[in-house]
Amino acid sequence: MARVRSGADPADATLEDLREAAAVCRNCELWKRGTQTVFGEGPRRARAILVGEQPGDEEDLSGRPFVGPAGRLLDKAMAEAGLDRSRVYVTNVVKHFKWKPQGKRRLHEKPRLSEINACLPWFEGEVGTITPDVIVCLGATAAQAVIGRQFRVTRERGQFVPSRFGTAFGTVHPSSILRAPDDETRRIERARFVEDLRLVAQRLAD
Ligand code: URA
């Protein structure tokens, strides 16, 4: 259980304990494929949690969430929207990289529902410790795990909705912007993403 030093915030210890326990998680088979558990990071008192699907190649190697191409886009979009990454907590619903080989590359593979469910206790622990005002779900996998299977990002993005984890907000995954078929679509989708994040920044400023 939490190691509490005198004067320390017990919840800080809890987050560290969760991270240590998740590092040796065997709740599903994905630990065999990933290099390491990629736990969330950010301040314990963050008022927003941003949650993605699962770590990618760079995240798997570095052990940190959203540090690859999608993370760099996210950082810039957040800055434009007035959200400071150092003040939010960033994590994923699945904490191991699921991939299949394609030549020398490791290709992202979508997690199964059973793998998402096996990993959710860690997210529950993160939310329960941080108690954010809002959970920003990046992409359909995160939104469906947090808000519900019926959630459709295309239809319901940009709205604050109740969820079993507290107030949630769904938007697209930054990778979907990187995958846009042409520059013009990418520009439009990126601007919409910044607008969504701006709604979150406004909510936190209220
Ligand atoms: N995509 C995610 O969903 N999470 C990451 O950490 C990186 C890419």
Side-chain angles (χ1 to χ4, degrees):
M1 254 335 277
R3 290 156 279 101
V4 184
R5 280 169 286 115
S6 74
D9 182 340
D12 288 340
T14 306
L15 209 50
E16 224 15 72
D17 284 348
L18 283 170
R19 171 192 290 281
E20 281 174 24
V24 290
C25 179
R26 301 291 184 260
N27 285 354
C28 76
E29 300 289 300
L30 289 184
W31 66 274
K32 295 180 183 166
R33 228 182 288 187
T35 305
Q36 58 192 314
T37 304
V38 180
F39 204 68
E41 66 177 28
R44 209 282 291 170
R45 292 177 193 285
R47 291 182 57 209
I49 291 184
L50 269 66
V51 58
E53 180 191 83
Q54 61 164 331
D57 186 71
E58 286 187 42
E59 289 80 12
D60 172 74
L61 297 174
S62 68
R64 298 182 55 212
F66 281 104
V67 292
R72 289 189 280 278
L73 191 154
L74 175 63
D75 285 352
K76 287 191 188 144
M78 282 175 69
E80 281 175 42
L83 280 172
D84 184 346
R85 170 146 177 178
S86 69
R87 299 187 65 182
V88 303
Y89 187 89
V90 179
T91 193
N92 287 293
V93 284
V94 170
K95 290 176 170 52
H96 276 109
F97 180 32
K98 183 175 182 182
W99 59 277
K100 60 181 175 202
Q102 192 186 62
K104 287 188 180 158
R105 293 183 56 216
R106 301 192 298 170
L107 213 62
H108 164 274
E109 230 186 324
K110 222 173 154 44
R112 289 177 212 277
L113 185 58
S114 61
E115 292 158 343
I116 294 169
N117 288 338
C119 215
L120 270 184
W122 301 118
F123 181 66
E124 275 163 12
E126 290 172 304
V127 173
T129 308
I130 294 165
T131 59
D133 294 344
V134 61
I135 299 168
V136 180
C137 303
L138 303 170
T141 301
Q144 289 174 4
V146 172
I147 302 167
R149 303 294 304 160
Q150 77 295 342
F151 190 88
R152 293 289 170 270
V153 172
T154 42
R155 224 175 35 216
E156 291 154 290
R157 70 185 287 178
Q159 296 171 35
F160 294 91
V161 293
S163 84
R164 69 186 173 103
F165 296 98
T167 302
F169 177 96
T171 183
V172 294
H173 193 288
S175 303
S176 70
I177 301 169
L178 294 172
R179 286 196 307 268
D182 53 73
D183 287 351
E184 180 59 3
T185 312
R186 193 168 309 111
R187 190 188 63 71
I188 292 167
E189 285 307 317
R190 191 182 181 287
R192 286 188 73 195
F193 184 52
V194 172
E195 280 315 304
D196 283 351
L197 295 179
R198 230 189 279 281
L199 295 174
V200 176
Q202 275 161 11
R203 173 96 169 198
L204 297 181
D206 285 346

